[in-house]
Amino acid sequence: MKKEKWYFPKYYPSFACKADACRNTCCSSWRIPVSKEEFHRLVTMECSKNLNRRIQNAFIVPEVVTDEVYRYISFNWLGQCPIQEKGLCYLHREKGEEFLPKICRLYPRSLKRIGNYNVACCSSSCERVVEILYDYDDLEIVTEQMEETPQVFYSISYDGFRQIRSFQKILQDRSTTLLQSIIDICKIINDDEFDRDYDSDEDPLSAAILLLKRFSESNQILGKICDIVSERYGNDPSLYEKDRDAFEEAFPDWMTFFERVINNSMFYECFPFVDERADQTQVYKGLCICYGLLRLLCIANTYKDHRKDDLVDAVSSLFHLIDHTTFYYNVSLISGNAAIFLKL
Ligand code: SF4
């Protein structure tokens, strides 16, 4: 295979899955699509009786069948992929990585061709990636010749790629706050609409609680944190200010950590070209909501004893939603004054 130049965060080559040490494995509660070719290969391959039994019971038919989404991997009674047990994948162990469905082989990585550029990144929905970002100081993007094959193609011009990189640099500017950096990005995209949005009198906490109700089914951890948010702050909004102060004291580096996870997701999603249906104004609204929900969910999930694991779980559950659904497009349609989320 020919080597090509790739852009990627410095941590990318050293990422390693935590396997059975993972608290919230991606083999649980995820709708994993399998293509027609992969499905036929798996159900007819030579393997042990145990693996064959697991595979024959592993698929359900989607509502709309296509060659790319031909089956979904079903869940066992624990809500997990039936081919694995306690995080150990029997298919991987017996047949090797090359036999895994494409999505399992790749996750949490993404390999994109953006115009003439190759971009590799890992999603902040994986708890190991979030732990790496917690320990890193900076999301440094480096280049190297690599033998990788792009899986997703975006027709973005040279100027588009420069815009992706320039927004990243604004976010990384530590001479100002993360909040101000996000405001600067939003104002570059749509100054007038952002000001109108931001000056609204709407209460951000009530708006966020309402919005989270729409997402509580997205994944189990997110659902659990949504319940904490609505029970704790829905009844007594003053508790949010108290928890927010305690959070910032317990995690004094919260701002640079949030900068890295948001930046990582922006790079993963090619912000502001995240969804071809969403224009840039809709996309800036998604960024405001991402920042606000990130604060709210992390504050709510750590208020009891400020454990790092709870912080990581809150981040990965939110980016499970952001990185793997049409989040930016959806929130821009259902939220009113999205910029008020920056006040959370
Ligand atoms: S979420 Fe990340 S660390 Fe956990 S099992 Fe999946 S790839 Fe591995």
Side-chain angles (χ1 to χ4, degrees):
M1 198 190 299
K2 199 172 126 230
K3 280 192 173 182
E4 290 190 329
K5 183 175 172 184
W6 283 80
Y7 289 77
F8 53 88
K10 203 171 177 183
Y11 70 76
Y12 180 85
S14 58
F15 168 80
C17 169
K18 291 169 73 175
D20 52 344
C22 184
R23 290 186 305 283
N24 301 298
T25 166
C26 50
C27 303
S28 168
S29 323
W30 288 63
R31 274 191 131 194
I32 310 282
V34 174
S35 71
K36 187 175 182 178
E37 181 269 322
E38 286 175 323
F39 172 73
H40 286 301
R41 177 172 55 74
L42 288 168
V43 292
T44 57
M45 76 182 175
E46 299 259 326
C47 61
S48 68
K49 268 192 181 162
N50 176 27
L51 180 56
N52 185 263
R53 181 179 50 78
R54 286 173 183 274
I55 286 179
Q56 298 303 334
N57 292 314
F59 301 102
I60 52 167
V61 183
E63 280 159 24
V64 180
V65 178
T66 64
D67 282 359
E68 266 312 293
V69 184
Y70 192 70
R71 292 290 184 272
Y72 283 127
I73 294 185
S74 61
F75 302 130
N76 63 16
W77 64 282
L78 291 169
Q80 297 171 341
C81 169
I83 303 175
Q84 63 82 50
E85 206 168 294
K86 295 183 182 156
L88 271 187
C89 175
Y90 281 84
L91 178 59
H92 193 177
R93 195 164 65 172
E94 189 174 319
K95 303 295 288 184
E97 191 179 339
E98 67 275 21
F99 273 77
L100 296 177
K102 188 167 80 181
I103 195 163
C104 303
R105 218 165 41 233
L106 266 182
Y107 182 83
R109 303 170 188 87
S110 91
L111 298 162
K112 297 189 171 110
R113 167 105 66 200
I114 304 177
N116 294 324
Y117 300 90
N118 296 312
V119 169
C121 193
C122 291
S123 170
S124 306
S125 59
C126 160
E127 73 178 46
R128 179 62 194 136
V129 172
V130 180
E131 286 166 357
I132 292 170
L133 294 170
Y134 186 89
D135 293 332
Y136 261 60
D137 179 50
D138 194 14
L139 189 83
E140 193 185 342
I141 305 296
V142 295
T143 58
E144 202 176 294
Q145 296 285 327
M146 293 201 296
E147 277 183 10
E148 295 280 17
T149 309
Q151 304 290 331
V152 184
F153 295 83
Y154 286 56
S155 53
I156 293 172
S157 65
Y158 171 71
D159 286 344
F161 187 73
R162 281 185 50 172
Q163 193 180 24
I164 293 172
R165 300 288 288 127
S166 77
F167 283 160
Q168 283 198 289
K169 288 197 176 105
I170 294 173
L171 204 71
Q172 284 172 306
D173 177 4
R174 296 202 183 150
S175 66
T176 185
T177 60
L178 176 61
L179 174 62
Q180 187 55 51
S181 298
I182 292 177
I183 291 174
D184 291 345
I185 292 171
C186 296
K187 284 171 89 59
I188 290 171
I189 292 175
N190 192 333
D191 201 359
D192 292 343
E193 181 139 350
F194 176 81
D195 285 340
R196 263 200 311 276
D197 221 357
Y198 194 68
D199 291 342
S200 157
D201 292 335
E202 203 185 339
D203 172 34
L205 189 56
S206 311
I209 291 173
L210 211 58
L211 186 65
L212 281 177
K213 288 205 171 105
R214 315 277 290 256
F215 297 138
S216 58
E217 304 284 314
S218 171
N219 62 72
Q220 276 175 359
I221 310 283
L222 191 64
K224 194 191 90 194
I225 309 174
C226 290
D227 288 346
I228 299 173
V229 168
S230 111
E231 277 160 31
R232 189 164 168 79
Y233 309 134
N235 293 331
D236 184 356
S238 70
L239 284 178
Y240 180 62
E241 276 171 42
K242 186 174 148 262
D243 291 351
R244 186 169 61 185
D245 292 345
F247 173 84
E248 291 181 1
E249 200 178 316
F251 298 102
D253 296 328
W254 70 268
M255 199 186 295
T256 53
F257 172 52
F258 283 9
E259 172 211 302
R260 291 188 291 280
V261 291
I262 293 175
N263 201 354
N264 188 63
S265 175
M266 282 168 71
F267 197 56
Y268 182 91
E269 294 266 42
C270 304
F271 181 96
F273 305 100
V274 294
D275 182 336
E276 51 188 31
R277 284 173 304 169
D279 64 29
Q280 294 210 358
T281 299
Q282 289 172 314
V283 167
Y284 96 64
K285 289 175 187 273
L287 179 62
C288 297
I289 292 173
C290 166
Y291 174 84
L293 292 188
L294 184 60
R295 274 177 62 80
L296 178 57
L297 295 173
C298 288
I299 290 166
N301 205 38
T302 56
Y303 83 91
K304 274 193 186 144
D305 37 22
H306 298 115
R307 290 173 57 232
K308 179 186 156 191
D309 283 355
D310 291 332
L311 179 68
V312 169
D313 289 351
V315 174
S316 59
S317 70
L318 177 63
F319 284 97
H320 180 171
L321 176 72
I322 293 177
D323 288 357
H324 306 297
T325 69
T326 49
F327 172 83
Y328 283 86
Y329 180 69
N330 292 345
V331 292
S332 71
L333 295 184
I334 59 179
S335 60
N337 304 301
I340 57 167
F341 280 70
L342 297 177
K343 299 174 187 170
L344 280 164

